[in-house]
Amino acid sequence: MATLPPKFDVTRDDITRVVGAFYELIRQHPGLGPVFAVHVDDWPKHEAKIVDFWANAILHERSYDANPLKVHRDAGNVRPGMFETWLALFDLTLREELREDQAAAWSALAHRIGRSLRAGVVEKMKGPGGVPILR
């Protein structure tokens, strides 16, 4: 079976570096840090899983088999507005850690995924008549 080329010029080492720097920012963030802290008790294990997620999405590796939408829906404390903050921090990390072309390509992918996750979380939070429940 032929191996697909990466979606853009990023290596697994780049992914590992970006994920580590990003979660360092997350742990310090006053809004997102506590949301993650409820669910993550082993940061190295969590970061390794997220590296696998991005390696799958960018490098076409098959090392990640979880369902990110289900994880975010089941968390219970993820709100639609958090995705904008998450993406802003992720974009900041990409700009700091990568070349401009790499950061732009990865950012575009992250925003597509973020829109999908946000939509899935919003759908779960709808009440009677399809009105969003904003807790």
Side-chain angles (χ1 to χ4, degrees):
M1 175 168 32
T3 303
L4 293 172
K7 288 185 179 175
F8 45 87
D9 180 27
V10 170
T11 67
R12 187 171 249 279
D13 287 342
D14 293 329
I15 294 169
T16 300
R17 187 176 72 252
V18 166
V19 168
F22 173 68
Y23 281 110
E24 183 63 33
L25 286 178
I26 288 291
R27 285 191 289 276
Q28 297 171 24
H29 191 272
L32 295 179
V35 172
F36 278 84
V38 169
H39 303 286
V40 179
D41 55 6
D42 184 342
W43 282 101
K45 182 178 177 183
H46 177 73
E47 290 178 20
K49 181 185 283 189
I50 302 306
V51 167
D52 286 344
F53 169 81
W54 285 117
N56 182 52
I58 299 167
L59 306 176
H60 305 287
E61 291 183 8
R62 293 295 171 239
S63 53
Y64 180 85
D65 62 359
N67 181 334
L69 178 57
K70 181 173 178 4
V71 169
H72 287 86
R73 290 176 103 180
D74 292 350
N77 64 344
V78 176
R79 302 291 174 256
M82 294 175 178
F83 289 97
E84 287 77 15
T85 304
W86 184 97
L87 286 166
L89 288 174
F90 198 69
D91 283 341
L92 173 67
T93 304
L94 292 172
R95 287 190 307 269
E96 290 178 348
E97 297 294 330
L98 299 172
R99 294 187 324 257
E100 186 176 342
D101 62 309
Q102 294 170 310
W106 194 344
S107 175
L109 178 60
H111 281 259
R112 281 194 306 274
I113 292 169
R115 281 190 300 275
S116 176
L117 289 175
R118 182 184 182 281
V121 169
V122 169
E123 286 300 315
K124 182 179 187 232
M125 297 176 72
K126 286 189 178 177
V131 177
I133 301 169
L134 303 176
R135 297 181 234 171

